[in-house]
């Protein structure tokens, strides 16, 4: 299994609802009341108590992260992150940052910060915004990897971060980006 950053980062092909970690991140929408994709899968696996707690949260803005229990999931907590919607025809020129990039980076950075604040040891992310929200996958992977590298360099208690990919092709893409960005440093 490929691992990076001294073994603290793993890139897995898995269903995130099955992972035995302290917290999983949900790719939610601003209502925080469920939806399709990984959001739907997490709500189905956690049971109706999750939706009941989500109703008390008052929604969230893009880039914000709110925490609930995991209920019937193996994970103790769910971090509900609202990713950006990608509406552009093309990616900005190389080296240029889009506002969507900053919002996606905040989803990762906030989740890492909240995990460390709660002294959690393990945290798993799906590829936020790369499904229905249309964010380019390689661009999203580079943002995720940069945030995880930066977070792990500062946040001691976090021993294990998983980037959870729903297909082998997505896993291969993330491994390629990680090899380019992390392994050759
Ligand atoms: N485990 C891991 N990854 C998964 C799983 C799973 N069980 N299911 C899907 N993915 P998406 P978004 C991957 O569309 O783009 C919802 O309706 C999927 O292959 O779930 O952030 C929300 O309510 C993709 O790589 O989230 C919002 O309205 C990634 O998860 C909207 O979709 C994200 O795809 C959010 O869109």
């Amino acid at each position: 299994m490929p691992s990076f950053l001294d073994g603290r980062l793993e890139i897995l092909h898995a269903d995130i609802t099955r992972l035995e970690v302290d917290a999983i991140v949900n790719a939610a929408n601003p209502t925080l009341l469920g939806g399709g994709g990984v959001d739907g899968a997490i709500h189905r696996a956690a049971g109706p108590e999750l939706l009941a707690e989500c109703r008390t949260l008052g929604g969230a803005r893009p880039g914000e992260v709110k925490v609930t229990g995991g209920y019937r999931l193996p994970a103790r907590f769910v971090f509900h992150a609202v990713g950006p919607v990608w509406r552009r025809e093309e990616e900005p020129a190389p080296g240029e940052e889009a506002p969507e990039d900053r919002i996606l980076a905040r989803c990762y950075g906030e989740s890492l910060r909240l995990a460390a604040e709660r002294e959690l040891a393990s945290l798993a992310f799906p590829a936020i915004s790369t499904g229905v929200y249309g964010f380019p996958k390689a661009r999203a992977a580079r943002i995720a990897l940069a945030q995880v590298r930066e977070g792990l360099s500062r946040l001691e208690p976090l021993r294990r971060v998983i980037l959870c990919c729903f297909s082998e092709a997505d896993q291969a893409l993330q491994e390629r980006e990680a090899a380019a960005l992390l392994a050759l440093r």
Side-chain angles (χ1 to χ4, degrees):
M1 183 220 318
S3 70
F4 300 88
L5 301 173
D6 300 327
R8 291 166 80 193
L9 170 64
E10 294 165 29
I11 297 175
L12 285 188
H13 171 211
D15 176 350
I16 201 165
T17 65
R18 309 292 287 271
L19 295 181
E20 300 194 4
V21 287
D22 292 324
I24 61 172
V25 178
N26 183 15
N29 62 61
T31 70
L32 300 183
L33 298 180
V38 71
D39 194 5
I42 288 172
H43 275 270
R44 274 195 301 281
E49 297 92 341
L50 178 62
L51 181 58
E53 186 177 357
C54 283
R55 287 192 198 285
T56 69
L57 300 176
R61 287 184 300 276
E64 255 194 302
V65 181
K66 292 199 174 171
V67 182
T68 65
Y71 300 97
R72 296 175 207 176
L73 291 164
R76 285 162 56 207
F77 299 102
V78 180
F79 289 3
H80 303 265
V82 181
V85 180
W86 185 272
R87 293 198 179 87
R88 295 162 185 275
E89 295 290 317
E90 288 172 18
E91 293 189 46
E96 266 183 43
E97 198 183 41
E100 294 90 334
D101 295 338
R102 280 194 291 280
I103 295 171
L104 187 62
R106 266 193 71 200
C107 291
Y108 285 91
E110 272 294 290
S111 298
L112 291 160
R113 189 187 66 73
L114 287 167
E117 189 178 277
R118 286 166 186 262
E119 300 193 337
L120 304 186
S122 54
L123 176 66
F125 289 95
I128 301 168
S129 282
T130 65
V132 173
Y133 278 3
F135 204 103
K137 287 183 180 186
R139 188 178 189 89
R142 289 192 290 273
I143 290 169
L145 290 162
Q147 288 296 312
V148 171
R149 175 176 61 193
E150 204 274 324
L152 287 182
S153 71
R154 285 183 299 113
L155 304 169
E156 273 299 307
L158 263 175
R159 300 309 312 162
R160 187 174 180 220
V161 172
I162 294 169
L163 296 180
C164 179
C165 304
F166 205 44
S167 71
E168 278 179 25
D170 287 352
Q171 183 191 28
L173 178 147
Q174 293 209 1
E175 279 174 26
R176 274 198 305 278
E177 296 300 331
L181 204 74
L182 306 179
L184 302 176
R185 291 177 71 236

